[in-house]
Structures are given as structure tokens and as C-alpha cells.
Amino acid sequence: MRAFRFLLESILTLRRQKEDIARLSYAEAVRARVQVEEERSMLVDQMHQLEGSIAETRGKRFLASIQAGYHQSLEYARDRIKDCDRKLERIQAHEKKAFDAYTRAKQSRELLDRSRERSWNQYKAEQIRAEEIEVEELANARYCRNRLGGQLV
């Protein structure tokens, strides 16, 4: 019996490697997005704390001289959030590209996996058929030997 050999095995190996690289790239993009989302959440929390602090200060004694400082602090916090939003948009676009690349690589690999599976099934069917032929020939030889009374032809 001959051993199974898939002619496109080296290409399948390369496609698996390409899929792994694409998966790692996508995972890195997801990690970057999560990190920026956490940073944005932290900035929003800080801005809400600042707004709460301003409201608390206005409830007590509020000097007009510190109004500009509070206003500037709020504007700075809003600008940082807007910067974070722009960064998040860029990272989400990169994440989508990385996901698309991973999906294409995965589909390409799966196509070759299915081809390999069909090849394997065909190989098994050929081997079973060859074995059936051998068993049939053995049975025929035994039948002929028994019919001729143990004489070999």
C-alpha cells in the first residue's frame, strides 16, 4: 500500500501560518481598541468627577476668579475625550481591516483543508477497494485450489 500524500500540503502549511499571523494581528488590534476604550472611559469618569467638583464648589462659595480655570479644565477634558474618540475610530478601522484579513486567510485555509479531506477520503476508498480486490483474488485462488483437489494450477 502506498502512503497518503496530499500534493498541496506545503501550501496548506503556508496558509495555516498566514492565518496564524492574521489572527495575531487581529488580536493585537482588539487589544489596542480595548485599551483605548478603557482610556476613554477613564477620561469620561475624570470629567464627571471634575463636573461634580465644580457643582459642589458652586453650591458653596464660588469665586468668579476660578471660573476661567474650571472652564479651561473642562475644555481640556473634553478635548482629550475627542482625541481619544478619533484615536478609537482609527483603531476600529484598523481592527476591521485586520478582521477582514483574518477572515480571508481562514477561508483560504479551510478551502485547502476541505480539499485535503476529500483527497484523504478518496485515498481511503482506493485503499479499501484495493484490499477488496486482494481478498477477492485470495478467495478465488482458494476456491480454485479446493475445486481442483489441492492441486496448484
Side-chain angles (χ1 to χ4, degrees):
M1 283 189 182
R2 66 178 174 86
F4 174 71
R5 185 166 171 244
F6 182 57
L7 297 176
L8 300 174
E9 192 70 42
S10 59
I11 294 173
L12 178 59
T13 301
L14 291 173
R15 289 199 180 164
R16 284 180 179 149
Q17 290 172 351
K18 185 177 179 181
E19 179 188 8
D20 289 343
I21 290 168
R23 184 184 314 113
L24 290 174
S25 175
Y26 175 59
E28 185 60 37
V30 169
R31 275 192 290 274
R33 178 187 46 84
V34 168
Q35 183 179 7
V36 171
E37 286 175 345
E38 288 173 354
E39 179 183 346
R40 185 187 186 284
S41 176
M42 181 187 69
L43 290 173
V44 168
D45 289 345
Q46 287 176 353
M47 188 177 85
H48 289 312
Q49 287 175 355
L50 181 62
E51 287 172 341
S53 172
I54 291 171
E56 184 181 315
T57 303
R58 281 187 179 161
K60 298 177 183 175
R61 267 182 77 198
F62 188 74
L63 301 174
S65 61
I66 58 173
Q67 172 68 28
Y70 280 140
H71 182 70
Q72 188 177 9
S73 295
L74 280 175
E75 283 302 312
Y76 178 70
R78 288 185 188 116
D79 288 343
R80 287 179 60 197
I81 290 172
K82 286 178 185 177
D83 290 343
C84 202
D85 287 341
R86 285 189 291 270
K87 186 177 179 182
L88 186 60
E89 287 175 13
R90 285 191 310 270
I91 287 176
Q92 286 173 335
H94 175 69
E95 179 184 1
K96 183 179 181 332
K97 288 178 186 177
F99 179 74
D100 291 343
Y102 168 65
T103 302
R104 283 190 308 273
K106 182 178 177 184
Q107 289 172 346
S108 178
R109 191 254 322 144
E110 286 174 345
L111 179 70
L112 273 180
D113 275 343
R114 285 190 300 272
S115 178
R116 186 180 196 285
E117 186 68 26
R118 282 190 303 269
S119 239
W120 172 250
N121 289 337
Q122 184 180 359
Y123 168 78
K124 285 193 310 187
E126 289 172 2
Q127 294 303 314
I128 289 171
R129 181 65 187 138
E131 190 175 306
E132 287 173 352
I133 290 171
E134 287 179 24
V135 169
E136 202 172 291
E137 287 176 359
L138 183 62
N140 286 338
R142 180 170 279 190
Y143 173 75
C144 288
R145 188 185 71 188
N146 288 341
R147 186 166 175 134
L148 296 174
Q151 298 173 3
L152 295 176
V153 180

